[in-house]
Amino acid sequence: MKPILLWSDALILLLLATLAALLWLARHNEALRDPWRQVMRGRVGRVTALILSLYISIGLLDSAHYVERLPAAPGQPAQYGGEVRSALDGLLTPIRVSVEKTYSAPLAARLYAKESVMGPDGVERRDYPQLKHPGAHLFGTDKVGQDVLYLSLKSIRTGLLIGSLTTLVMLPFALGLGIAAGYFGGRVDDVIQYLYTTLNSIPGVLLIAAAVLVVQVQIEAHAELFNTAAARSDVRLLALCGILGVTGWTGLARLLRAEALKLRELEFVLAARAFGVGHGRILLRHLLPNVMHLVLITVVLDFSGLVLAEAVLSYVGVGVDPGMISFGNMINGARLELAREPVVWWQLAAAFVFMFVLVLAANLFADQVRDALDPKSRGRT
Amino acid sequence: MLNYLIRRVLYAVPILLGVNLLTFALFFMVNTPDDMARIHLGAKHVTATAIARWKSAHGYDKPLFINEQAAGMGKAADTLFVDKSLRLFALDFGAADDGRDIAREIGSRMGPSLAIALPTFAVGLLFYVSFALLLVFFRGTNLDAGGVVLCVALMSISGLFYVIAGQYLMGKLWHWFPISGYQPGAWQFLVMPVLVGVVGSIGDSTRFYRSLFFEEIARDYVRTARAKGLSELRVLFRHVLGNAMIPILTGVVVVIPRLFLGSLIIESFFGIPGLGSYTIDAIQAQDFAIVRSMVFLGSLLYIAGLVLTDLSYTLADPRVRLE
């Protein structure tokens, strides 16, 4: 077994390290700890936090990648398989390898489609053949016989990645440009406003589609750089996060600009200016901490939107790689099967339910965070 | 007023120019015309002559910004940037990769798009605002709390689910409406897309309007209106709704011109021959000429929406003067 670090895995590690560092810094700060304690005091906050951490653990397990060592003759150099697996794949081996021929209903014992089977009396007739693993598929199997539960669990990482890495890309733009526009005003403000009006004026899906099409062509042109299928779809996923981030910073930037516009006239900023504190220090020490609540609220609120956006973008054809397991691709692959008789509903249902639980938990959690952090909504509900 | 309009139109030029430069950079500099030719020719037929032939057939065989070979004005005019990008300002969209005129396609597909988008917009707005006012009317009761929970649940459901479930239930199971298709003047084809479109954003929109009205009812004029004995309904519908008009218009008017572009998902699922399905087909066929035209058209309509928003303020609030 040899560990493999995909680019997205590296970014996840970076994200975790940043979070850990922030927590370490904030561990003795009562003003920072108090709102979180408030979130965790309520039942809704606790339950949604539990659900989210379940999803996150599955996503993290699915981010520890490795390639299997092939059995080799003694004395020969070690050979590795071409397929990149994750710790989650390892844990789910029983349902991952129990592949059927095609669709089968949840917990069914027989296949969905009729075939010629040999009866006990030796006569061949059309019937539903026995599954190789009857009753083993909690959510049934998909068109090529893969277990739907396995697919759903694998989709979680894709959804979480899009939700979190996009934020990572978007934050520097939104923070830097938004605060700078509000604080400096004048020319700087004009240029930044022009930038985000221009970006905003392009219909969102079209801008993303345009950028993804370009990235797709570039990946195809440099196919030799990405040797495994996993690396290829990984790059495409990262590109998608990058594009969503570069096009998605305008909303938060606008909020931050308005807030910085207000803050720069307040006494503590004026006092800092009077003492001769430089712009950089004022931005970093006086403005940034005072807009952090807005940033946090927006980030948590945006997360659920991004998870939902993945499905739509994959349907349009500009989402993640078609070969990557994601909620969008699961829905896309099964949406026409409702026209069949009998209806193939389990794959759609599983994708929608897994996504619904994640997004609902994220939305409810976001509301709790907002109530705890936003001075305006404090004590209102 | 006229001065204001002229200034706004002039302000639109640099934005459209920016959009133009951005798409030009994406589609011609990051992605060269050679890349484009390679995609369309397919991996098997890529030879230098085939690429050159494809480029000249589709008008891509010119330099990007400066044409050294041309004389005089042609140095700047006979280039890809002028040919493919600046022409958009004259609404000259050129031809798609299949040779069809994009402007004509847009003209003929606008109707079906509007037939879906306009009713969806109108019915939706009416429904969301009334529903939000209803929740505000019952604020503090279980009805309001239940309504909010319902909204959060509805907005956590993927938009694709509404379309798929709607088609399955209303089309296949109950046979109320045809599953997909379009015929000019036939209302049966319109009901389901409109219904699905309206239901799809109940969650988001109602919550948005509810929080907007909540901010409004905390103000002094509401207390005054109640104190002089007006009924709660009258307070809500006349005073609160009237005063919340500015933030409502801010969010609503800007999207009206964009209704022309239709909805990608709805149109493609329901087989509506509008601009949304045109765009989605172009994306899937990697027809960059159409995508570029739609980007330009989209930002043009967005800027029109911004101007309309400002104009609508003067109608909603007599204090607003555009100078």
Side-chain angles (χ1 to χ4, degrees), chain B residues 109-229:
Chain B
R109 283 165 174 272
M110 233 154 57
S113 278
L114 274 181
I116 305 286
L118 215 56
T120 309
F121 169 78
V123 174
L125 186 64
L126 212 67
F127 182 80
Y128 309 142
V129 169
S130 329
F131 190 31
L133 278 173
L134 189 81
L135 292 183
V136 174
F137 183 74
F138 287 104
R139 64 189 170 278
T141 65
N142 283 337
L143 196 75
D144 179 37
V148 173
V149 171
L150 180 74
C151 284
V152 177
L154 285 178
M155 66 191 264
S156 305
I157 298 174
S158 166
L160 298 175
F161 175 80
Y162 292 109
V163 184
I164 294 173
Q167 272 185 329
Y168 180 69
L169 291 178
M170 291 189 277
K172 194 181 171 217
L173 219 55
W174 301 333
H175 299 289
W176 286 359
F177 308 108
I179 290 183
S180 72
Y182 180 79
Q183 212 178 344
W187 60 270
Q188 300 92 312
F189 291 106
L190 302 183
V191 181
M192 201 155 58
V194 170
L195 219 56
V196 166
V198 170
V199 172
S201 34
I202 286 182
D204 283 303
S205 304
T206 308
R207 238 168 79 109
F208 169 73
Y209 290 123
R210 179 182 167 274
S211 64
L212 214 135
F213 293 138
F214 249 92
E215 228 155 80
E216 212 54 47
I217 57 165
R219 292 184 200 272
D220 290 340
Y221 73 85
V222 176
R223 193 178 334 128
T224 312
R226 283 200 199 113
K228 71 180 185 187

Side-chain angles (χ1 to χ4, degrees), chain A residues 31-111:
Chain A
L32 289 178
R33 285 176 55 170
D34 188 51
W36 291 106
R37 237 182 252 143
Q38 193 188 325
V39 170
M40 287 304 168
R41 239 192 323 262
R43 200 165 27 150
V44 178
R46 274 205 301 263
V47 171
T48 50
L50 180 73
I51 296 175
L52 286 178
S53 40
L54 252 174
Y55 271 91
I56 291 171
S57 339
I58 294 174
L60 286 179
L61 271 179
D62 202 10
S63 301
H65 286 105
Y66 60 87
V67 282
E68 206 103 16
R69 188 172 182 159
L70 296 178
Q76 295 217 323
Q79 294 277 319
Y80 295 98
E83 203 182 342
V84 180
R85 300 235 173 88
S86 73
L88 186 74
D89 292 331
L91 283 178
L92 295 178
T93 304
I95 59 171
R96 180 167 57 85
V97 296
S98 62
V99 174
E100 307 293 343
K101 211 170 212 167
T102 180
Y103 290 114
S104 67
L107 295 174
R110 287 168 179 280
L111 207 61

Side-chain angles (χ1 to χ4, degrees), chain A residues 276-342:
Chain A
V277 179
H279 286 313
R281 236 182 124 69
I282 290 182
L283 287 175
L284 220 58
R285 297 216 51 135
H286 297 285
L287 287 189
L288 193 61
N290 282 301
V291 297
M292 265 339 233
H293 69 284
L294 281 179
V295 174
L296 207 71
I297 293 167
T298 315
V299 164
V300 186
L301 275 176
D302 280 357
F303 174 82
S304 49
L306 287 166
V307 175
L308 290 178
E310 185 271 325
V312 171
L313 290 176
S314 294
Y315 170 73
V316 177
V318 293
V320 294
D321 194 85
M324 186 155 196
I325 303 175
S326 80
F327 291 127
N329 284 338
M330 274 178 80
I331 295 167
N332 225 349
R335 72 191 167 85
L336 291 176
E337 307 300 346
L338 282 184
R340 283 190 177 216
E341 205 61 58

Side-chain angles (χ1 to χ4, degrees), chain B residues 2-14 16 303 307:
Chain B
L2 192 66
N3 268 338
Y4 169 82
L5 279 181
I6 292 173
R7 227 181 38 237
R8 282 309 292 253
V9 171
L10 287 181
Y11 182 59
V13 173
L16 286 175
I303 292 167
V307 178

